[in-house]
């Protein structure tokens, strides 16, 4: 069982930066993929960024060039570094892990079987 706990959210002004963390109870090197998702007010949950077991990454178009996903395997922590934040980035951000192989889309919600409780990011203009 993977227990995921996010932290690092907060309130920032547009143009600012935040780094989110996701601490895992298990050994994340064994997870097929880990990802960050977000859900804004009245919106569906959407994928932000993914890192595969081998280290390959992929990003949603809105995240390219502004967000970076990376991990510390020695600490079992996943990160999302966010810069040039915009008001439309305001959302609850969730960490997710694929511990049972599914092989579906990298940013598909259904592909991930463990989720954290989320951390709120609010960007003001």
């Amino acid at each position: 069982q993977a227990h995921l706990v996010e932290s690092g959210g907060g309130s920032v002004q547009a143009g600012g930066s935040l780094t989110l963390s996701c601490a895992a109870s298990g050994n994340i090197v064994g997870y097929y993929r880990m990802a960050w998702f977000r859900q804004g007010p009245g919106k569906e949950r959407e994928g932000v960024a993914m890192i595969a077991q081998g280290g390959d990454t992929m990003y949603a178009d809105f995240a390219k060039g502004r967000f970076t996903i990376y991990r510390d395997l020695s600490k079992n922590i996943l990160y999302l570094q966010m810069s040039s934040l915009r008001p439309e980035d305001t959302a609850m951000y969730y960490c997710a892990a694929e511990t049972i192989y599914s092989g579906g889309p990298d940013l598909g919600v259904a592909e991930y079987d463990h989720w954290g409780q989320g951390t709120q990011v609010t960007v003001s203009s």
Side-chain angles (χ1 to χ4, degrees):
Q1 288 287 336
H3 183 56
L4 306 173
V5 179
E6 302 94 334
S7 61
S11 297
V12 296
Q13 290 192 325
S17 300
L18 279 175
T19 297
L20 307 182
S21 300
C22 171
S25 61
N27 191 346
I28 65 172
V29 74
Y31 300 164
Y32 293 101
R33 292 178 288 190
M34 293 191 77
W36 287 97
F37 290 79
R38 71 183 188 182
Q39 188 165 14
K43 298 181 180 180
E44 293 187 354
R45 192 169 298 192
E46 62 179 350
V48 177
M50 179 284 303
I51 186 164
Q53 193 172 40
D56 289 344
T57 60
M58 73 92 68
Y59 297 88
D61 286 344
F62 64 80
K64 292 177 182 176
R66 299 192 300 130
F67 295 0
T68 301
I69 186 171
Y70 61 101
R71 61 191 178 176
D72 186 328
L73 296 178
S74 67
K75 297 180 179 178
N76 293 312
I77 299 177
L78 178 72
Y79 298 95
L80 183 69
Q81 184 177 31
M82 305 185 292
S83 61
S84 301
L85 284 163
R86 306 164 181 166
E88 54 264 40
D89 294 319
T90 294
M92 186 72 79
Y93 283 71
Y94 298 90
C95 168
E98 180 191 20
T99 67
I100 301 172
Y101 181 74
S102 67
D106 287 331
L107 292 181
V109 172
E111 309 312 314
Y112 296 85
D113 47 80
H114 284 80
W115 294 82
Q117 83 291 346
T119 186
Q120 178 68 37
V121 172
T122 302
V123 184
S124 59
S125 58

